[in-house]
């Protein structure tokens, strides 16, 4: 009898199948032994992604703070030491420092639209803060940090300098020959914008994904 059962095999039962499926399902739902969460489709865990995102956000605000403080300190020195004085030649007449009050946008454009440029700068800051929530790319963190620091630098002038709130003139002092006078905030904005264009051409998104058109 035992030999016959060995040859024929024990018939499967619905209850046995159900028990096996329940065990398999339970095993899939349980976390790993080390307590880690199940991996996502890209092979990374949610716990690994969150600290990575926080580090990128920290880089963004560190770059923004550095650009903002550098711009703020340079303007304070220019106002105290250079305004109402003769320009200082740095590289002959090719590059000099000359204190200029600019009511327009970067590089002196649009002086009749000071309030509009103030609103645009504030809107840029809000957009950057919203993008920071899904930021996982280091190059994007640097680019957005430069934009944020530059926008904050010029927005500070718009709010606190004469002739009034939201109409203040920005302090410019870097004067290359045959070019508009600008400041370090303008430079940060331009560098951040160029970096964003390059990243977009390469297909790198702020969340770290790469797409190809």
């Amino acid at each position: 009898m035992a030999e016959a059962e060995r040859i024929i095999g024990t018939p499967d039962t619905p209850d046995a199948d159900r028990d096996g499926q329940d065990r398999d399902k339970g095993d899939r739902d349980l976390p790993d032994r080390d307590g880690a969460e199940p991996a996502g489709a890209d092979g990374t865990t949610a716990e690994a992604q969150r600290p990575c995102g926080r580090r990128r956000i920290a880089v963004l605000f560190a770059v923004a703070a550095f650009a903002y403080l550098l711009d703020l300190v340079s303007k304070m020195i220019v106002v105290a030491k250079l305004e109402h004085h003769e320009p200082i030649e740095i590289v002959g007449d090719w590059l000099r420092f000359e204190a200029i009050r600019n009511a327009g946008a970067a590089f002196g454009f649009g002086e009749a639209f000071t309030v509009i440029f103030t609103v645009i700068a504030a809107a840029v800051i809000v957009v950057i803060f919203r993008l920071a929530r899904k930021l996982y790319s280091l190059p994007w963190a640097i680019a957005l940090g430069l934009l944020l620091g530059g926008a904050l630098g010029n927005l500070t002038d718009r709010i606190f300098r004469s002739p009034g709130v939201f109409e203040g003139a920005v302090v410019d002092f870097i004067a290359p020959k045959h070019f508009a006078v600008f400041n370090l905030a303008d430079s940060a904005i331009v560098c951040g914008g160029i970096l964003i264009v390059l990243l977009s051409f390469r297909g790198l998104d702020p969340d770290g994904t790469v797409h190809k058109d």
Side-chain angles (χ1 to χ4, degrees):
M1 182 69 177
E3 184 66 17
E5 290 179 353
R6 184 182 67 80
I7 296 173
I8 298 174
T10 303
D12 296 331
T13 62
D15 292 337
D17 291 341
R18 188 179 301 109
D19 291 340
Q21 293 175 357
D22 291 341
R23 282 195 300 271
D24 292 340
K25 181 179 180 181
D27 291 340
R28 288 193 300 269
D29 293 339
L30 288 176
D32 297 337
R33 294 182 179 179
D34 59 358
E37 294 184 1
D42 58 353
T44 59
T45 64
E47 289 295 335
Q49 290 177 348
R50 281 195 291 268
C52 180
R54 287 196 292 266
R55 286 194 294 269
R56 300 297 182 261
I57 294 174
V59 169
L60 186 156
F61 288 114
V63 172
F66 178 77
Y68 175 73
L69 291 176
L70 194 62
D71 176 70
L72 184 64
V73 171
S74 67
K75 289 174 179 175
M76 292 174 62
I77 295 174
V78 167
V79 171
K81 302 295 184 180
L82 189 58
E83 200 166 34
H84 308 303
H85 292 78
E86 291 296 322
I88 299 175
E89 292 186 350
I90 305 301
V91 184
D93 61 347
W94 289 96
L95 177 64
R96 62 182 183 176
F97 288 164
E98 179 181 4
I100 299 293
R101 294 296 183 112
N102 172 25
F107 308 111
F109 298 114
E111 294 188 2
F113 303 98
T114 305
V115 176
I116 296 177
F117 292 131
T118 303
V119 173
I120 292 174
V124 168
I125 293 171
V126 172
V127 170
I128 292 174
F129 272 96
R130 292 179 63 87
L131 283 176
R133 295 183 300 175
K134 56 180 182 179
L135 184 64
Y136 290 94
S137 168
L138 180 59
W140 269 95
I142 296 173
L144 293 177
L146 290 171
L147 282 179
L148 179 60
L152 286 172
N154 284 339
L155 184 61
T156 300
D157 284 357
R158 303 288 188 198
I159 295 175
F160 295 105
R161 297 194 186 276
S162 59
V165 178
F166 301 122
E167 296 181 352
V170 174
V171 175
D172 291 336
F173 62 94
I174 304 174
K177 187 177 181 180
H178 306 308
F179 196 73
V181 184
F182 59 96
N183 57 41
L184 295 182
D186 297 333
S187 301
I189 292 172
V190 171
C191 291
I194 292 174
L195 183 54
I196 287 176
V197 171
L198 294 176
L199 294 174
S200 299
F201 272 119
R202 294 189 59 185
L204 180 61
D205 292 332
D207 61 0
T209 58
V210 179
H211 67 272
K212 294 182 179 180
D213 295 335

